[in-house]
Amino acid sequence: MSAKVETFRRAFGGGVVEPGTAEYEGASRAVLALGAPAYVLRPGSTEDVQAAVRFAVEAGLELSVRGGGHSFPGFGTNDGGVVIDLSQLANVEVIDKDRHLVRIGGGAVWGQVAAALAPHGLAISSGDNKAVGVGGLTLTGGIGWKVRKYGLALDNLAAAELVTATGDVVRASAEENPELFWALRGGGGNFGIVTAFEFVAHPATDVFHGRITFPAAEASAVLQGWAEYLRTATADLTSIVALANPFAGGHEAPVEIHVVFDGDDTESAAEAIDPIRRLGTVLDDNVTLKPYADTLEEGVVPPPGIQIVTRSAFVHRESVSAALATLAEVGTSERSPAIAIRSVGGAVSRVAEDATAYAHRQAELMIVTATVGPKPVIEATRPGLDAIWGRLAPNTKGVYANFTASATDDEVAAIYPTATYERLATVKRQYDPNNLFAGNHNIRPA
């Protein structure tokens, strides 16, 4: 093994972090998970990624790939294996001004992207956290503050460069390897390591962003009115409802409606947002005009020993009223988890169901619950959380891959309907027949 390592070091232009070194403690963990890998490799080029993949294969070690490191199941680290940390591949470059085409390194995070594109007057529909990786978010979806107008992050992807399990570099787009391109847009990290993404950005202005709050006692009426209004609201408006905010009183916390109006015209913004203000008794309203980059939240690393357990599901139109009735009751009851309800629809629903591997195009809402605490607290709350999701089950479908706490076969089956999974498995067989890239919501080769 030592001979393999020394040979690899001579061919590798990036950094190698091993146990016992000063950098190891920080390098070994992902943002939401602890690990003890044998090697953390930090490639500085695509060629380094190729060398790192071949080293992992030759050494017979488990492989994890880390972009932003925010996966809730902890995909960005492992015990005893190899972690390829892409953080040095974070360049953001406008490569075609006329087409607004942007090339982004596979290790970039969305805060870097927003800051780099702002001077060009451009933006990309992404998530809502500066520290989340471009790769992890894009490859499985990307529901953020521009989703109703510009779709998912993956809907704005024009091409990708990736290193396969054999260490080869492949380009995927609508014209080159189109079936792989289909699979990358929703199939996660199953097919290789994306070293560069090419996105079509859009011209951007400042946006109206903020939070409008209502009494918890008005939760039922506010939620139902919010969902009904979003069906006819302009696509410039995207919104998230938060219930049972643990930092604002838990089940007694106000109902928070967060909004982004994608434009800087005051009258148009008021026309779009005022119907939300009229849903109930407004306690607070801090909606202001700001740069799009400032809508993204700062990333937070939880203290050691603190776990974040998320569950998610989609709600289709016929089930919205019933699902929201349950959530309003749960969110104002003791021991409620934190609840977020995200509006989707809009541009997401205008893409054909089979155009990408993302399989939840017709959902109106996406629900997320989050429980935070040390392991004993998490275990103690699990029966109650199971009961809540049991009540929601008749009115929900599927799972959003970016908000799952594990990667069981049942969860993978909920992310991918049977036909989608089978098509992905065929692509997997072509590009990763031995399932090297298994540290994800895994699709086994057909």
Side-chain angles (χ1 to χ4, degrees):
M1 185 65 179
S2 59
K4 285 187 174 70
V5 174
E6 291 308 312
T7 300
F8 167 70
R9 285 182 184 276
R10 289 193 292 270
F12 187 66
V16 180
V17 182
E18 298 179 68
T21 62
E23 295 178 88
Y24 182 77
E25 183 176 353
S28 62
R29 72 166 294 170
V31 176
L32 302 176
L34 300 176
Y39 306 97
V40 179
L41 309 180
R42 292 172 168 164
S45 66
T46 299
E47 291 76 17
D48 283 345
V49 175
Q50 292 178 274
V53 168
R54 288 170 178 149
F55 169 69
V57 171
E58 292 170 5
L61 295 175
E62 178 184 353
L63 176 62
S64 297
V65 181
R66 184 187 305 160
H70 280 76
S71 80
F72 290 100
F75 294 146
T77 190
N78 61 47
D79 292 325
V82 172
V83 172
I84 298 180
D85 179 344
L86 300 175
S87 57
Q88 302 304 307
L89 302 179
N91 190 47
V92 181
E93 179 186 7
V94 179
I95 59 176
D96 189 327
K97 293 182 180 179
D98 294 335
R99 295 172 56 204
H100 305 144
L101 194 63
V102 181
R103 184 177 173 91
I104 301 173
V109 296
W110 284 110
Q112 294 171 316
V113 174
L117 295 184
H120 300 277
L122 298 173
I124 296 170
S125 179
S126 65
D128 49 29
N129 188 300
K130 291 181 180 180
V132 166
V134 171
L137 184 94
T138 300
L139 294 174
T140 46
I143 299 175
W145 282 128
K146 291 173 177 274
V147 67
R148 296 186 69 246
K149 186 172 183 179
Y150 294 105
L152 304 163
L154 61 79
D155 290 331
N156 298 277
L157 187 64
E161 171 192 276
L162 71 158
V163 174
T164 67
T166 57
D168 296 321
V169 178
V170 175
R171 180 179 170 84
S173 68
E175 294 77 29
E176 301 175 76
N177 302 299
E179 191 67 2
L180 175 60
F181 186 55
W182 172 86
L184 288 174
R185 290 173 295 160
N190 272 283
F191 312 100
I193 300 175
V194 177
T195 52
F197 296 88
E198 291 178 13
F199 287 93
V200 178
H202 58 264
T205 64
D206 287 350
V207 301
F208 283 87
H209 167 257
R211 180 192 67 222
I212 305 165
T213 62
F214 304 87
E218 299 179 14
S220 181
V222 168
L223 263 62
Q224 297 290 351
W226 169 81
E228 184 175 351
Y229 171 61
L230 261 293
R231 290 191 181 121
T232 58
T234 172
D236 291 326
L237 181 69
T238 294
S239 183
I240 301 172
V241 176
L243 296 170
N245 182 342
F247 303 106
H251 71 284
E252 296 180 340
V255 178
E256 303 173 1
I257 299 186
H258 301 256
V259 297
V260 162
F261 176 81
D262 191 30
D264 57 3
D265 181 77
T266 302
E267 290 186 8
S268 298
E271 183 179 351
I273 299 172
D274 281 352
I276 290 178
R277 295 182 169 111
R278 293 193 290 266
L279 292 174
T281 306
V282 174
L283 301 176
D284 184 40
D285 182 343
N286 66 3
V287 177
T288 57
L289 186 66
K290 62 182 68 172
Y292 167 65
D294 290 350
T295 69
L296 306 184
E297 299 176 353
E298 297 290 344
V300 176
V301 179
I306 297 299
Q307 298 181 354
I308 303 176
V309 175
T310 59
R311 294 192 190 182
S312 63
F314 294 93
V315 184
H316 289 242
R317 180 167 186 162
E318 66 276 8
S319 300
V320 165
S321 179
L324 291 181
T326 299
L327 290 170
E329 181 184 338
V330 168
T332 54
S333 302
E334 291 188 19
R335 293 184 291 279
S336 172
I339 299 170
I341 310 163
R342 293 174 176 247
S343 59
V344 277
V348 178
S349 64
R350 292 194 289 272
V351 177
E353 286 280 357
D354 61 352
T356 68
Y358 178 87
H360 307 287
R361 293 287 176 182
Q362 297 309 309
E364 276 196 9
L365 306 174
M366 191 265 286
I367 300 169
V368 180
T369 64
T371 307
V372 182
K375 188 174 181 179
V377 171
I378 296 297
E379 292 302 321
T381 60
R382 193 178 304 278
L385 196 60
D386 289 343
I388 290 169
W389 279 99
R391 292 179 61 188
L392 287 168
N395 297 301
T396 57
K397 295 181 181 179
V399 167
Y400 181 47
N402 283 330
F403 283 112
T404 63
S406 62
T408 64
D409 287 346
D410 286 345
E411 286 200 323
V412 173
I415 296 168
Y416 304 112
T418 302
T420 304
Y421 184 95
E422 290 175 351
R423 186 174 173 186
L424 287 167
T426 300
V427 180
K428 177 81 168 180
R429 180 177 61 195
Q430 179 178 354
Y431 290 96
D432 186 17
N434 295 318
N435 206 10
L436 174 68
F437 301 111
N440 45 47
H441 296 99
N442 194 231
I443 296 157
R444 296 182 180 88

